[in-house]
Amino acid sequence: MSWMNIELVLLIVLPAVIAVIMAFSSSFKQRTRNILAVTGAGIELCLVFSLFLLNFEAVKSSEFFLQFTTGYSNTPFVINFAMDNLSLLFSLIVTAAVFLIVIFSTQYIRDKESRYFALFFLVLASIQGSILTADLFTLYLFIEAITVFTTPLISFKKTEKTTRAALQYFFYGITGGVFFFISIILIYFNLGTLKMAAVADSFALISTPMQLTIIIFFLLALLIKLGIFPIHFWLPRAHSACPAPISALLSGVLLKVYLYIFMRLFWTMIAFDFLVELHLSAFVLDLALVSSLIGHVFALQADELKKMLAYSSIGHIGMILAVLMLNTEAAFYGGLLHIIAHMMMKSGLFLSSGYLLRTTLSHHIDDLKGIGHKNRLVFIAFIIICLGTIGMPPLIGFVSKWFVLLAFLEARHYFGAFVVGAGSIIALIYYLRYISQAYETVKTENKTLREELVSLKVFFKSTNIMKNVIYLFTLLIIIFGLSYQFFEMPINTAIFELLNPQKYIELVLGG
Amino acid sequence: MEIPTETQPEVESLNKLMKKTLVSVVLAGVALALYRSFALMPGYQGLNLGLSNYIIESGLKDTGSLNLITAVLYDYRAFDSLGESTVIFGAVSGIVLILSRKMLPVSSKGLSFIVKRTLGIMTPFIALFGLYIMSHGHLTPGGGFQGGVILAAISIIFSIVYGSAFDYRRYSPQTKTALETGGALTFLGLGLAGILMEGAFLQNLGFLTAETGTLISAGSIPYINIGVGFKVGAGLAIIFYSMIQKTFEEDF
């Protein structure tokens, strides 16, 4: 009932309103629609960023906490929204990435834009919702919403391949959702509440076999959604079938949102000690590491550029999940930093692959001959981002991988350390395969790099906007690689939340 | 040459049998494991009785809605309903995106004269019934979702009885999209009005409450119902039209 934290609901409602307007915008001029989309995402970003800046002192001392209750606050079944440092960090990086992807897609998508943007903003609304909510049922609702809204976006180009990929994605997404729902039902029948904080308070009261069932179903749901090894095969198909901005959204942003939900569930709601007690944490750790290795190995044999990138995503997500399961402060630091790094790198890679593949016959490696000569500057950006994912020193990929490696070594988990190193080396091989192919033919055009840079002067021409987004991602990767300390404060406060879930629980239940 | 032709079917059927047994064994194992852990679940009595008691006792007082289900759907947990109707909205967008084709199979013939005349007399009553269900959601069983489905049924019956061209001419997809968007904006607008006037998102608007049991009571619940009704009705009609459209390649 407080005026104070109304922003939390606005963060969810604003994209929904824009989506509704967008769905009706088929008669708008293209320019109007683009401006509307970019301002909408921009306002969202400004809102989150202002939350960060206005509460800077509170964030710094990790006391930051906003919450909002809809309806009658004295009833037992109100819907809560809560934002702590962890949510703030994720909300901020996700919105920033989505903002850049929106700018890219205003130029990239050339037909049926109104429906595209409607669904895109609905996805943004559900992402924000699933990050901010403090209620299990609302979380389930938003997770399902993400699946439902992204499926048509995957089959945006209507071909047999994309339809198959989308249906498979939908099937596995819904299956994961059903597992999630079973857990929610079990929790409700045992505890009679769906507030995450209340569940956290009394989870220990449930009998041990029941706890095991609940945790296993939650794990199954999230492992399916994250694309961890035994159930990973839908991911490369889905992530490579869709248009480039959607690939960037799925691979760069959505997987991180699921990682956030994983952390919310298994550190805040169900204390991590339960996982250790039930011997599940070691199992998930090994599974994630195997998944990481398999993802990298499969990327070696992928003959399509986007499929290769998707397999590499499996590798990175597995590594992040594994390092989080170590449950030490250093591990969280490495994991969160790599989440940020991977978000930037994978979004950049998918967007630049979308730009590069506009002119080629197909996505197959044989058709990529000479694209390095045709789009020189973009391809150089592509190479730089690739080096970032491999882990070259001045880039942010190196920093985050370094911390992940340190965390594994500190925990004396040598298999994990091996996977990090091996993954990098395998990644080097499969990226080099594509890079050498791109420079296969002899140079034909005589445009020099300098001329290409000069042609950038027309900054807002449609192709240049796409290029500029890619360059921006590249620059961010270089800049943050040099000054990764920038993230130190937000990440440390987020780690504080993970290590002290008691704060979240008390504040939600108390207020 | 003769041996494989004779044994092939046998081997295949044996393989099938093996597969079936294996699947049933695995399924039985999973069922047993699930039963073992679900048997531990406390019985229905163990549920939080305070919750239902609370709704029965103070649902009417809090919301002014006689239909307590509507009270939960559109007041206590209105945000979840907003989410659900947004999912419908997104599903409609997605289906239109996937199935949008240029051609509508033009069949202006429809069914026989008798059916056409009968339906012509009945249609206004069906529409009235749908609107009644929608607007009386806070008083009697029903609500926006149910009423919207009835309204969508009119559109579907039209295109079966009178032929799809008739309904297409009368209510073009643009009209339906406008209705759908209007319904969604009503819901969202009421939510934002709740922020401005009552200080919480989707809070029941106080100045709209009146004597319990009258049509215009229960704050913003009836208006949310109407908004949801139009949204669901138009959305389902749009889905129906997207699905009956054809491509050029398909034969008629």
Side-chain angles (χ1 to χ4, degrees), chain A residues 3 9 13 20 23-24 68 71-72 75-77 81 115 119 122 135 137-138 149 152 155 158 186 188 190 192 213, chain B residues 37-38 40-42 48 51 54-55 62 75-77 79-80 86 89-90 93-94 97-98 100 178 181 195 201 203:
Chain A
W3 266 95
V9 172
V13 173
V20 172
F24 197 58
F68 179 76
Y72 308 90
T75 55
F77 48 101
F81 295 97
R115 294 284 166 190
L119 287 165
L122 284 178
D135 184 286
F137 185 78
T138 317
F149 298 150
S155 64
K158 270 179 285 177
L186 290 178
Y188 186 74
N190 278 285
T213 319
Chain B
S37 51
F38 276 72
L40 294 166
M41 207 153 71
N48 196 345
L51 209 62
Y54 178 86
I55 298 173
D62 279 351
D75 198 342
Y76 290 118
R77 306 281 301 196
F79 194 86
D80 285 345
T86 314
F89 182 78
S93 286
L97 182 71
I98 294 172
S100 63
T181 318
I195 293 184
F201 187 70
Q203 184 81 353

Side-chain angles (χ1 to χ4, degrees), chain B residues 1 14 60 68 76-77 94 97-98 160 175 202 208 219 231:
Chain B
M1 280 302 286
L14 201 71
L60 182 61
L68 289 179
Y76 290 118
R77 306 281 301 196
L97 182 71
I98 294 172
I160 293 172
T175 325
L202 274 172
L208 286 172
K231 190 178 145 90

Side-chain angles (χ1 to χ4, degrees), chain B residues 156-170:
Chain B
I156 295 171
I157 293 175
F158 264 18
S159 60
I160 293 172
V161 173
Y162 292 94
S164 48
F166 177 80
D167 193 52
Y168 194 80
R169 244 185 289 119
R170 281 290 175 86

Side-chain angles (χ1 to χ4, degrees), chain A residues 203 208 211-212 215 219 262 266-267 270-285 324-328 332:
Chain A
F203 192 75
T208 313
Q211 283 175 355
L212 186 68
I215 291 177
L219 272 180
F262 194 92
F266 289 114
W267 271 274
I270 301 169
F272 193 76
D273 297 339
F274 287 112
L275 255 74
V276 180
E277 233 171 73
L278 298 168
H279 306 291
L280 280 170
S281 70
F283 172 70
V284 175
L285 175 65
L324 288 175
M325 296 309 284
L326 287 177
N327 195 27
T328 61
F332 292 142

Side-chain angles (χ1 to χ4, degrees), chain B residues 175-210:
Chain B
T175 325
K176 281 173 185 143
T177 315
L179 274 178
E180 197 197 5
T181 318
L185 285 179
T186 313
F187 202 155
L188 286 168
L190 281 167
L192 293 176
I195 293 184
L196 288 178
M197 304 173 77
E198 304 284 331
F201 187 70
L202 274 172
Q203 184 81 353
N204 213 333
L205 296 176
F207 78 99
L208 286 172
T209 45

